């Protein structure tokens, strides 16, 4: 088939998305809806019900925007993991139903790797060290001998979650990240906070607790926000820098929802420059969770010979980045 069309379904956490992608790399549409909890953190069952209730509308909108019909679809890809169990099951059920009714192949995609592949597509970066930072993930990833290896990751909470929980405790509405960034710009005084890098891994829960304690001690919220960002981002940049030096790669990519942060971008940019590496950030609509990244990675996997039987499509809640055989890249 010269040019195949893949329909990618994303559903691992808050977002249910459908993207339609052509095998030449053209993204025809990328539409999603995001579950927003009324209060507190994400509730997996509520999120999965939101996804199920909105699946049809999201699918229809993605088809309309791409100006294609279901019968034009040649391949269905879906986020098989990692993520929240009930949410993953909704996405995989939708994908199976579609693949069976259209009688086309189905491919389960690793969510973290999809973030990297969509960035490699649109930014034309060949072989980056990637810092993937979001509400649910914090990993430093680079390709080496057939797999995406995790060079460093959080040992407890992800950075986005750290910012969101801190914000909630400080009375700032969800999502905390953007508001903390705004506050931090007005911060002047650095308040020492726990900086934790263990080997190549990170930890943010102590930092978060201490930052919350500072707000209880009535420290200026702008200074706390500033100090929280500076401390957390310095740790992220340190691990990314060490992965870059170790792998001797020449590119750094930032992705995930926290990639929106201009201070984090600036710090990585400076580090990359110092290491003689190029720095890339995909457009924000491709940094967050969406279906196009799943569709594109599905195409890469399928074209390189990956095939899945229906009974291999169960959700994989803890599917690790480094477990995936990357058949589409040269060893
Ligand atoms: P994933 O399933 O990949 O973990 P997610 O459900 O967390 O994704 P994303 O849209 O990738 O969704 O990321 C949302 C996170 O990004 C939230 O934690 C939010 O606070 C954070 N964020 C958004 N904008 C900014 C910003 N400007 N600065 C820092 N963090 C930000
Ligand atoms: Fe994600």
């Amino acid at each position: 088939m010269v040019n195949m069309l893949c329909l990618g379904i994303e559903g691992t956490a808050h977002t249910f998305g459908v993207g339609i992608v052509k095998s030449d790399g053209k993204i025809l549409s990328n539409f999603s809806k995001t579950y927003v909890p009324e209060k507190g953190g994400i509730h997996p069952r509520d999120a999965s019900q939101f996804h199920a209730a909105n699946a049809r509308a999201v699918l229809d909108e993605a088809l309309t925007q791409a100006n294609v019909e279901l019968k034009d679809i040649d391949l269905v890809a879906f986020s098989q993991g990692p993520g929240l169990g009930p949410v993953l099951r909704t996405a995989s059920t939708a994908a199976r139903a579609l693949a069976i009714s259209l009688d086309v192949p189905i491919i389960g995609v690793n969510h973290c790797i999809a973030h990297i592949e969509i960035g490699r597509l649109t930014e034309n970066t060949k072989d980056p060290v990637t810092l993937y930072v979001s509400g649910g993930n914090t990993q430093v990833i680079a390709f080496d001998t057939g797999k995406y290896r995790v060079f460093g990751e959080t040992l407890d909470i992800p950075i986005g979650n750290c910012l969101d929980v801190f914000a909630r405790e400080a009375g700032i509405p969800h999502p905390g990240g953007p508001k903390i960034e705004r506050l931090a710009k007005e911060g002047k005084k650095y308040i020492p906070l726990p900086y934790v890098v263990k080997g190549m891994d990170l930890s943010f829960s102590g930092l978060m607790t201490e930052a919350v304690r500072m707000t209880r001690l009535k420290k200026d919220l702008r200074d706390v926000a500033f100090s929280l960002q500076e401390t957390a981002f310095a740790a992220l940049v340190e691990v990314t820098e060490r992965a870059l030096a170790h792998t001797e790669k020449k590119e750094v990519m930032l992705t995930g929802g926290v990639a929106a942060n201009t201070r984090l971008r600036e710090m990585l940019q400076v580090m990359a420059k110092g290491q003689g590496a190029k720095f890339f950030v995909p457009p924000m609509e491709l940094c967050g969770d969406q279906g196009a990244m799943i569709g594109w990675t599905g195409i890469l996997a399928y074209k390189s010979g990956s095939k899945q039987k229906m009974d291999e499509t169960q959700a994989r809640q803890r599917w690790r980045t480094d477990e995936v055989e990357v058949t589409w890249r040269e060893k």
Side-chain angles (χ1 to χ4, degrees), residues 12-14 111 115 132 134-137 160 163-164 177-178 181 257-258 261 289:
T12 57
H14 298 80
H111 174 94
H115 273 290
Y132 165 36
S134 64
N137 292 281
L163 298 172
D164 294 338
E181 176 172 14
V258 183
N261 193 289
D289 292 352

Side-chain angles (χ1 to χ4, degrees), residues 110-117 120 127-133 137-144 147-153 200 239-240 243-244 247 249 251-255 320-322 326 329:
N110 180 287
H111 174 94
C112 307
I113 289 181
H115 273 290
I116 301 173
E117 292 305 344
R120 289 212 308 137
D127 187 24
V129 170
T130 300
L131 174 62
Y132 165 36
V133 275
N137 292 281
T138 298
Q139 294 187 337
V140 176
I141 309 163
F143 185 78
D144 181 41
K147 285 189 172 167
Y148 280 107
R149 315 276 170 184
V150 178
F151 282 83
E153 65 193 315
M200 286 290 280
V239 173
T240 310
L244 191 65
T247 57
K249 294 195 192 286
E251 299 170 331
V252 177
M253 181 163 73
L254 171 66
T255 190
R320 286 187 54 85
T321 306
D322 47 18
V326 183
R329 288 191 64 172

Side-chain angles (χ1 to χ4, degrees), residues 10 12-15 42 82 111 115 132-137 159-164 174-181 229 233 256-262 284 287-289 293:
E10 158 62 28
T12 57
H14 298 80
T15 302
I42 185 167
H111 174 94
H115 273 290
Y132 165 36
V133 275
S134 64
N137 292 281
I159 176 62
N161 185 252
C162 168
L163 298 172
D164 294 338
H174 188 86
K179 286 147 207 145
I180 291 174
E181 176 172 14
Q229 276 202 174
F233 295 170
V258 183
N261 193 289
T262 48
M284 264 330 283
C287 281
D289 292 352
M293 66 180 191

Side-chain angles (χ1 to χ4, degrees), residues 258-328:
V258 183
N261 193 289
T262 48
R263 178 62 183 142
L264 179 57
R265 289 177 181 220
E266 179 187 316
M267 289 167 78
L268 280 165
Q269 171 89 64
V270 169
M271 179 278 284
K273 200 165 175 219
Q275 292 282 342
K278 282 195 185 150
F279 179 59
F280 302 87
V281 193
M284 264 330 283
E285 65 269 21
L286 294 177
C287 281
D289 292 352
Q290 26 73 31
M293 66 180 191
I294 303 297
W296 175 241
T297 310
I299 286 174
L300 292 175
Y302 184 78
K303 287 211 309 193
S304 62
S306 294
K307 298 260 174 349
Q308 248 180 355
K309 300 195 194 84
M310 272 303 157
D311 63 2
E312 293 167 338
T313 57
Q314 302 95 333
R316 302 178 68 175
Q317 271 185 70
R318 271 174 274 279
W319 194 14
R320 286 187 54 85
T321 306
D322 47 18
E323 282 170 3
V324 178
E325 293 294 339
V326 183
T327 47
W328 57 93

Side-chain angles (χ1 to χ4, degrees), residues 39-210:
K39 64 176 186 355
I42 185 167
H43 193 296
R45 204 189 47 223
D46 290 351
S48 74
Q49 279 165 2
F50 173 90
H51 290 193
N54 286 282
R56 183 72 216 216
V58 172
L59 173 66
D60 286 345
E61 185 59 30
L63 289 165
T64 305
Q65 286 184 10
N67 199 18
V68 300
E69 292 175 40
L70 272 180
K71 66 170 173 46
D72 303 323
I73 301 298
D74 304 300
L75 173 68
V76 172
F78 69 102
S79 56
Q80 194 168 4
L84 304 168
V87 177
L88 291 172
R89 283 192 287 280
T90 301
S92 63
T93 304
R96 278 191 289 268
L98 264 181
I100 290 169
S101 68
L102 299 174
D103 194 22
V104 298
I106 184 167
I107 290 270
V109 165
N110 180 287
H111 174 94
C112 307
I113 289 181
H115 273 290
I116 301 173
E117 292 305 344
I118 197 73
R120 289 212 308 137
L121 171 70
T122 64
E123 300 317 290
N124 212 4
T125 140
K126 308 237 157 17
D127 187 24
V129 170
T130 300
L131 174 62
Y132 165 36
V133 275
S134 64
N137 292 281
T138 298
Q139 294 187 337
V140 176
I141 309 163
F143 185 78
D144 181 41
T145 53
K147 285 189 172 167
Y148 280 107
R149 315 276 170 184
V150 178
F151 282 83
E153 65 193 315
T154 180
L155 298 169
D156 43 48
I157 55 172
I159 176 62
N161 185 252
C162 168
L163 298 172
D164 294 338
V165 176
F166 166 77
R168 198 195 307 152
E169 295 290 325
I172 302 165
H174 188 86
K179 286 147 207 145
I180 291 174
E181 176 172 14
R182 253 174 275 141
L183 283 166
K185 284 201 175 111
E186 292 170 18
K188 293 196 173 62
K189 187 168 159 273
Y190 180 77
I191 303 167
L193 294 173
Y195 177 96
V196 184
V197 176
K198 291 182 181 168
M200 286 290 280
D201 290 325
L202 299 140
S203 158
F204 296 112
S205 66
L207 169 63
M208 195 263 288
T209 311
E210 186 62 7

